[in-house]
Amino acid sequence: MSQQLGTLDDLPQDYRDDMTKAGVAPLWPMMRNVLPHGQPQPVTKTGHWKFDKLRPLLLRAGELTPVEKAERRVLVLSDPGRGTGAMQATSSIYLGMQLLLPGETAPAHVHTPSAVRIMVEGTGAYTVVDGERLPMEEGDLVLTPGGEWHDHGHDGDNPVIWLDALDLPLFVYLEGSYAKEGPLQAQRNRPDASQVEYLAAGLAPTRSRVSARKYPMMRYPWARTEPALRAMAAHGEVAELDYVNPETGADVLPTMGFTAMMLGSGDTDTPPLRSTSSAFHVIKGKGHSIINGHKIEWTNKDTFTAPVFSEITHHAEEDSFLIRVHDRPLQDRLGYYEERSR
Ligand code: GTQ
């Protein structure tokens, strides 16, 4: 039975003062703040960042702030529920839009949080992770897992822009976030694993257990994702593919998960309510999503978010491709991931 709990005002002032002096506080007036009934009460609010608004701001940052002064030239997408400057887009997901100009490098560092790059615009950029050079073409997903050295470079002729998704809020909350800097890495003279070892689904190189890599493939080329989605969509409605470790089939990172979705022109997708928060990035297409009654009209390269347990309906007005970022791997580890039907 739900009981009305006592409030602070029920307590005499001298008792409240004595508690404050002793460094304690009563639980019961705050109980429902931390343990609401039935489902969480998220602080996070749906956000929508239109790329045509972000792009000029990012290019201006390129004029105003040399990469040496920024280390990473990024505009942070702040959760509207927490306000501008919030270093998170949802409870667990950090998003930033990063610019690298031709010839620039972003210095090598390693940090405890994991990052994923979703390529938004331009060609010729690359990320080096543990000596492996990962080309970044539009739509590619590139992993820089926590604890792996990484730097970014750009051999092309035009600005490149990508979306960073990090599990940074979690690491900040845990007081576990820190970085180390180092020299640019030597690059192995060999194409990345997606081009050599994992060219076909279901086939992985025969290896000795001793040489097993924790992150065997760190680049997921869009050139292969889109045909896979189109083939699935041709035989069903909405197609959605998980990004997985090609050796184990497990999620690509310990805390964050990623899917690629295709909604054909005219398709509607009504996923179950999920205990995860999510971010959606439109690789290309046009449509709208209704998130808890809030309509978001999205187009190419836009990004939007949904808090935990959101009611979400997507509708595509043309063939549309989205990447969904979520925190189900973390929730699976904590043992509370949940879906509810609508
Ligand atoms: O590229 O390593 O958006 O360390 C935030 C922190 C990007 C990066 C961000 C980072 C990076």
Side-chain angles (χ1 to χ4, degrees), residues 123 209 297 301:
T123 185
R209 287 277 166 82
E297 306 207 37
K301 304 177 193 288

Side-chain angles (χ1 to χ4, degrees), residues 72 74 94 96 98 109 111 117 150 152 164 166:
R72 298 290 189 266
V74 173
Y94 159 102
Q98 182 158 174
H109 70 186
H111 39 70
R117 329 293 172 166
H150 56 282
H152 311 294
D164 293 315
L166 280 81

Side-chain angles (χ1 to χ4, degrees), residues 316-336:
E317 286 150 34
E318 53 187 61
D319 283 359
S320 298
F321 298 88
L322 286 80
I323 289 184
R324 176 166 68 96
V325 185
H326 60 78
D327 51 5
R328 201 251 310 127
L330 171 67
Q331 296 193 359
D332 275 344
R333 283 186 158 72
L334 297 177
Y336 80 97

